[in-house]
């Protein structure tokens, strides 16, 4: 299948009736109104409280976790694969130019912060309910999921050229204090994806916990270096508000100070916990989307161009909605400026056996993950383990017998 370049939104004439233009090519987006579920996601925090308040059944504090990690994979399984409604080339410009779709990301932010404020109120003793620590933990996970989905919305916004949407990306990331992602993902990960130099590309036989630590630390160092170099070229100090890592962190600091003044220091442990949950969810998505895949190094020392085969994809319907087509990961990497509604599935990309959320849950048990995924990685490379994204110690172990053979 040939991947065609995306017509840019500049090709859409001012005043065009975008929905009508899409209809002119005899195609409509079957998920058009499902995208409104995305900004409704933060409502799971209030839903948890409402269910506990009306029923008195405290396990409902874990509603957010159950909806995300149990119900969504089940719904994906029931609905099956989302492969029948691929947008045709001639609809892409009008589809991307349709401002209706921006509601999914732009409306998410006010809902995100309203839910965070509500959670802080509950942790501080509001809500006319006594919440036991286990209930507060469930509320923390739900709030962290909201932050994790916000990180994905920030991923969408951060790829856009408009200055306003780029700042909204930093605002979305502020909840989890992970503003360095704004720099590293766009200027680091997208350049080095599926190479040994990319901390956000998971290695073969690596587990999600070790990967998350390696990715967070490596990506933070890389983001700082990238900004230091950019500012040095312009004659500015890295220690200035022009530094996109620093100004993103300042947004998080302002948020934490404001919430602490408003609700008290009692909320700080829960705010830290929800940030860890949100960051882990983001990094787990990185783990799932590139696990074990590696671009081949050429004789020149450079890596081969990125191909669809360097990203794991999925056609799970509901996860595609809530993650803004993140599962169509190959097309996203090939066309990073495309808005989510115009990102398409790619036939040449390796497919996961489940949606990203279902695979995230599977990754929490590393032996099960490896049993399911390692054979699939090897299948991509015709059974040649040396072509996979090996961990350094595994690469040495494989190379050692070859050296002995040469010496003999």
């Amino acid at each position: 299948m040939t991947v065609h370049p995306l017509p840019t939104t500049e090709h859409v004439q001012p005043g065009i009736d975008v929905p009508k233009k899409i209809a002119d090519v005899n195609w409509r987006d079957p998920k058009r109104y499902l995208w409104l579920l995305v900004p409704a996601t933060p409502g799971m925090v209030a839903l948890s409280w409402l269910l506990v308040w009306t029923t008195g059944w405290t396990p409902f504090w874990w509603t957010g976790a159950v909806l995300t990690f149990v119900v969504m994979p089940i719904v994906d399984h029931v609905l099956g694969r989302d492969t029948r409604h691929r947008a045709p080339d001639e609809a892409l410009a009008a589809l991307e130019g349709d401002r209706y779709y921006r509601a999914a990301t732009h409306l998410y932010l006010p809902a995100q912060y309203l839910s965070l404020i509500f959670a802080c109120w509950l942790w501080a003793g509001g809500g006319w309910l006594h919440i036991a620590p286990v209930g507060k933990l469930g509320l923390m996970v739900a709030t962290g999921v909201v932050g994790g989905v916000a990180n994905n919305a920030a991923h969408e916004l951060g790829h856009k050229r408009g200055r306003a949407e780029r700042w909204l990306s930093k605002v979305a990331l502020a909840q989890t204090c992970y503003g360095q992602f704004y720099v590293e993902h766009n200027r680091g990960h997208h350049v080095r994806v599926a190479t040994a130099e990319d901390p956000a590309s998971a290695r073969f036989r690596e587990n999600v916990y070790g990967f998350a630590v390696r990715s967070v630390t490596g990506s933070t160092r890389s983001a700082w270096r990238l900004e230091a170099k950019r500012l040095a070229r312009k004659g500015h100090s890295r220690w200035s508000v022009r530094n996109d890592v620093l100004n993103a962190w300042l947004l998080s600091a302002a948020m934490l100070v404001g919430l602490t003044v408003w609700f008290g220091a009692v909320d700080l442990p829960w705010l830290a916990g929800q940030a860890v949950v949100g960051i882990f969810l983001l990094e787990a998505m990185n783990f799932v989307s590139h696990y074990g895949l590696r671009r081949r190094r050429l004789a020149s020392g450079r890596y081969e161009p990125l191909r669809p085969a360097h990203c794991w994809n999925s056609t799970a319907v509901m996860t595609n909605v809530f993650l803004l087509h993140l599962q169509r990961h190959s097309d996203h990497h090939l066309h990073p400026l495309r808005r989510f509604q115009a990102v398409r599935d790619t036939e040449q990309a390796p497919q996961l056996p489940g949606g990203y959320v279902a695979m995230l849950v599977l990754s929490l048990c590393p032996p099960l993950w490896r049993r399911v995924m390692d054979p699939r990685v090897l299948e991509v490379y015709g059974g040649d383990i040396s072509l996979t994204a090996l961990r350094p110690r595994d690469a040495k172990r494989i190379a050692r017998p070859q050296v002995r053979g040469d010496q003999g």
Side-chain angles (χ1 to χ4, degrees):
M1 181 186 67
T2 302
V3 179
H4 298 280
L6 174 71
T8 62
T9 52
E10 284 76 16
H11 292 125
V12 180
Q13 297 299 319
I16 192 171
D17 184 347
V18 173
K20 181 179 179 181
K21 193 69 176 180
I22 295 174
D24 286 346
V25 296
N26 195 29
W27 185 86
R28 62 181 297 274
D29 178 7
K31 298 195 292 287
R32 181 176 177 85
Y33 299 106
L34 288 179
W35 300 114
L36 296 178
L37 292 174
V38 179
T41 303
M44 69 173 67
V45 173
L47 177 63
S48 301
W49 168 81
L50 182 63
L51 290 173
V52 175
W53 185 56
T54 55
T55 67
W57 199 42
T58 56
F60 276 128
W61 287 120
W62 290 85
T63 297
V66 172
L67 287 174
T68 303
F69 303 115
V70 179
V71 174
M72 188 178 295
I74 291 174
V75 172
D76 276 336
H77 180 73
V78 171
L79 293 180
R81 294 160 58 87
D82 179 22
T83 58
R84 295 173 296 174
H85 304 287
R86 191 174 189 273
D89 293 348
E90 58 269 26
L92 288 179
L95 181 62
E96 190 175 22
D98 189 344
R99 290 182 174 271
Y100 162 82
Y101 291 94
R102 303 187 191 184
T105 50
H106 293 190
L107 293 179
Y108 191 90
L109 273 68
Q112 168 194 356
Y113 281 98
L114 284 173
S115 74
L116 180 62
I117 291 169
F118 188 66
C120 287
W121 180 57
L122 293 173
W123 285 322
W128 312 291
L129 293 167
H130 170 73
I131 310 178
V134 68
K136 289 184 177 181
L137 187 63
L139 183 62
M140 183 194 80
V141 172
T143 308
V145 170
V146 172
V149 178
N151 289 342
N152 189 61
H155 167 259
E156 168 69 17
L157 292 164
H159 275 292
K160 302 303 167 277
R161 289 195 176 99
R163 185 177 179 84
E165 287 189 296
R166 287 177 174 267
W167 268 102
L168 287 177
S169 175
K170 296 179 186 178
V171 172
L173 290 165
Q175 177 178 337
T176 54
C177 306
Y178 207 44
Q180 63 267 36
F181 175 82
Y182 169 83
V183 173
E184 169 59 18
H185 180 81
N186 293 288
R187 288 157 45 200
H189 174 65
H190 269 264
V191 174
R192 303 182 300 236
V193 62
T195 71
E197 289 73 32
D198 180 33
S201 293
R203 298 163 178 165
F204 187 60
R205 293 177 174 169
E206 187 173 26
N207 69 64
V208 69
Y209 306 105
F211 166 78
V213 173
R214 182 174 68 84
S215 184
V216 170
T217 55
S219 296
T220 302
R221 288 194 297 265
S222 176
W224 185 260
R225 287 195 296 265
L226 287 169
E227 271 301 272
K229 289 179 181 179
R230 182 183 71 86
L231 292 169
R233 287 195 301 268
K234 295 186 175 183
H236 301 306
S237 169
R238 69 186 67 182
W239 300 102
S240 77
V241 292
R242 294 185 179 91
N243 186 321
D244 282 329
V245 175
L246 279 182
N247 58 47
W249 285 347
L250 286 173
L251 284 175
S252 294
M255 178 205 71
L256 290 172
V257 169
L259 291 175
T260 301
V261 170
W262 192 352
F263 297 106
V266 67
D267 279 353
L268 285 176
W270 304 109
L271 285 168
Q274 65 82 29
V276 170
V277 171
I279 292 171
F280 180 79
L281 291 178
L282 174 63
E283 293 300 346
M285 292 296 116
N286 281 332
F287 178 82
V288 168
S289 58
H290 299 291
Y291 175 75
L293 303 178
R294 176 60 50 87
R295 286 155 65 186
R296 183 168 52 89
R297 193 183 286 272
L298 305 175
S300 63
R302 300 173 65 88
Y303 285 99
E304 65 174 315
L306 186 69
R307 296 183 289 108
H310 296 128
C311 307
W312 290 104
N313 287 231
S314 175
T315 55
V317 177
M318 290 311 297
T319 303
N320 254 336
V321 170
F322 282 99
L323 294 185
L324 303 171
H325 277 160
L326 182 69
Q327 298 179 131
R328 298 179 174 184
H329 212 63
S330 294
D331 195 45
H332 165 68
H333 269 279
L334 292 169
H335 306 95
L337 293 180
R338 280 186 177 174
R339 292 190 178 273
F340 71 88
Q341 67 270 22
V343 176
R344 301 189 292 180
D345 59 289
T346 308
E347 293 177 359
Q348 300 98 325
Q351 294 293 317
L352 292 166
Y356 273 19
V357 174
M359 299 308 293
L360 182 157
V361 174
L362 183 68
S363 74
L364 300 179
C365 181
L368 284 178
W369 170 264
R370 288 188 54 187
R371 182 175 180 178
V372 171
M373 286 302 300
D374 285 8
R376 287 175 165 82
V377 174
L378 291 172
E379 184 180 356
V380 171
Y381 296 103
D384 188 346
I385 192 173
S386 68
L387 298 178
T388 68
L390 289 171
R391 297 174 295 183
R393 66 176 181 269
D394 292 334
K396 290 178 181 178
R397 191 177 299 121
I398 290 173
R400 195 173 296 126
Q402 296 174 354
V403 172
R404 289 173 182 169
D406 292 341
Q407 291 174 343

